[in-house]
Each structure stands twice: as structure tokens, then as C-alpha cells.
């Protein structure tokens, strides 16, 4: 149940009865009574459609500044390490799963260090990001494929 709905006092049991059970929203859709049950749901969907692009656009500049700063740090450090045959690379792995509350992501981030030129060559070929990589460019957000680490 959306937090905004809960904050207005609707109980989880009432939400489940009308939205998540077969005799709730499903049954209402079968009888084509959209105003009684679907109107609030449609309102939430419309607000989501309007708000998601806004939130994506709002977060993008901060993420891009963070990525640029991280890349600059990485580049500067690698210039220093190159003299010693070493190389660093920011990397991350995202695991994602879905449940009734939506998508959940757990991100592990690290800096890999190659200590020899041979390891540096191998590390340079590895991706920055693995696992779940999102692309929200369609709504004005970020394509994580373009980043040097999961945000």
C-alpha cells in the first residue's frame, strides 16, 4: 500500500480487500464499476505517471555530478598509479528482486586495484557495473550503463 494512503488512515486490511484480493479490484473490473474502486487507483496511477518523470529529472543532475567527480578522482589516481604499474577501477554489482511492494535493489560498491600491468590490462576490460542496470532515460533520468558505478 502506498505510504500516502496509509498516512491518511486506511488500514492494510481494507487496502488488501479492495486492491489485492480476487473479490476486490479484480471483481470490480469484471463488473465494470470503474468509479467505485478504480477511480482512486486511476488517480494514483496518473499521479505516478506525472511524478516519476519529475523525480527522475530531479535526481539526474546530482547523479551525473557524482559520476563526473568519481571519474575525475579515478582518472587522477590512475595517473599516479600508472607509474607503478597499478590501476584502479570503480565497480559495483546490483541484485534486484520483486515482491508485492515492488522492485528492491541491493548494491555492492568497491574499488578494484590491479597491482601489476597484466592485472591492469585485465581489469581495464572488466565492466564498471554488473547485475541489474537500469535505464530511466525515457523519463528524463539516467542510463546506468553510462555510469562508472551504480548510484
Amino acid at each position: 500500500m502506498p505510504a500516502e494512503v496509509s498516512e491518511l488512515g486506511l488500514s492494510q486490511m481494507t487496502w488488501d480487500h479492495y486492491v489485492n484480493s480476487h473479490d476486490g479490484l479484480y471483481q470490480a473490473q469484471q463488473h465494470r464499476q470503474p468509479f467505485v474502486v478504480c477511480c482512486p487507483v486511476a488517480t494514483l496511477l496518473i499521479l505516478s505517471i506525472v511524478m516519476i518523470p519529475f523525480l527522475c529529472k530531479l535526481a539526474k543532475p546530482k547523479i551525473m555530478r557524482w559520476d563526473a567527480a568519481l571519474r575525475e578522482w579515478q582518472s587522477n589516481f590512475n595517473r599516479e598509479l600508472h607509474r607503478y604499474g597499478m590501476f584502479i577501477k570503480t565497480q559495483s554489482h546490483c541484485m534486484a528482486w520483486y515482491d508485492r511492494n515492488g522492485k528492491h535493489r541491493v548494491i555492492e560498491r568497491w574499488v578494484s586495484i590491479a597491482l601489476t600491468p597484466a592485472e591492469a590490462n585485465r581489469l581495464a576490460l572488466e565492466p564498471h557495473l554488473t547485475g541489474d542496470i537500469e535505464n530511466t532515460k525515457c523519463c528524463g533520468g539516467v542510463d546506468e550503463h553510462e555510469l562508472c558505478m551504480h548510484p
Side-chain angles (χ1 to χ4, degrees):
M1 173 170 58
E4 296 85 352
V5 174
S6 177
E7 289 170 2
L8 293 175
L10 188 69
S11 73
Q12 183 68 47
M13 185 169 45
T14 302
W15 174 266
D16 288 340
H17 174 74
Y18 286 102
V19 178
N20 296 329
S21 69
H22 283 289
D23 58 344
L25 180 59
Y26 177 80
Q27 190 68 29
Q29 288 173 335
Q30 296 303 313
H31 288 100
R32 300 197 185 275
Q33 299 171 351
F35 184 76
V36 175
V37 176
C38 295
C39 188
V41 173
T43 301
L44 288 173
L45 288 173
I46 290 169
L47 285 175
S48 295
I49 291 169
V50 171
M51 291 303 294
I52 289 172
F54 173 75
L55 294 174
C56 287
K57 287 179 185 177
L58 189 63
K60 184 177 181 175
K62 181 179 179 183
I63 292 170
M64 298 312 291
R65 282 192 305 272
W66 169 78
D67 183 67
L70 192 55
R71 284 179 185 275
E72 181 181 4
W73 169 83
Q74 184 174 248
S75 179
N76 291 341
F77 196 12
N78 273 326
R79 271 197 295 279
E80 293 291 324
L81 293 175
H82 181 71
R83 293 187 261 185
Y84 306 97
M86 294 189 289
F87 179 77
I88 63 161
K89 188 170 198 170
T90 54
Q91 296 184 299
S92 58
H93 179 77
C94 179
M95 296 162 283
W97 70 93
Y98 295 86
D99 64 18
R100 68 180 213 162
N101 295 318
K103 184 177 184 178
H104 303 275
R105 300 175 89 201
V106 173
I107 300 170
E108 296 176 344
R109 298 174 184 91
W110 64 92
V111 176
S112 296
I113 304 172
L115 302 175
T116 67
E119 288 176 355
N121 291 335
R122 281 194 300 274
L123 182 57
L125 296 174
E126 290 183 13
H128 282 281
L129 285 71
T130 59
D132 183 61
I133 303 172
E134 292 185 343
N135 181 351
T136 58
K137 270 191 165 180
C138 62
C139 63
V142 174
D143 180 357
E144 291 180 353
H145 292 92
E146 299 172 356
L147 303 177
C148 66
M149 186 177 278
H150 284 92

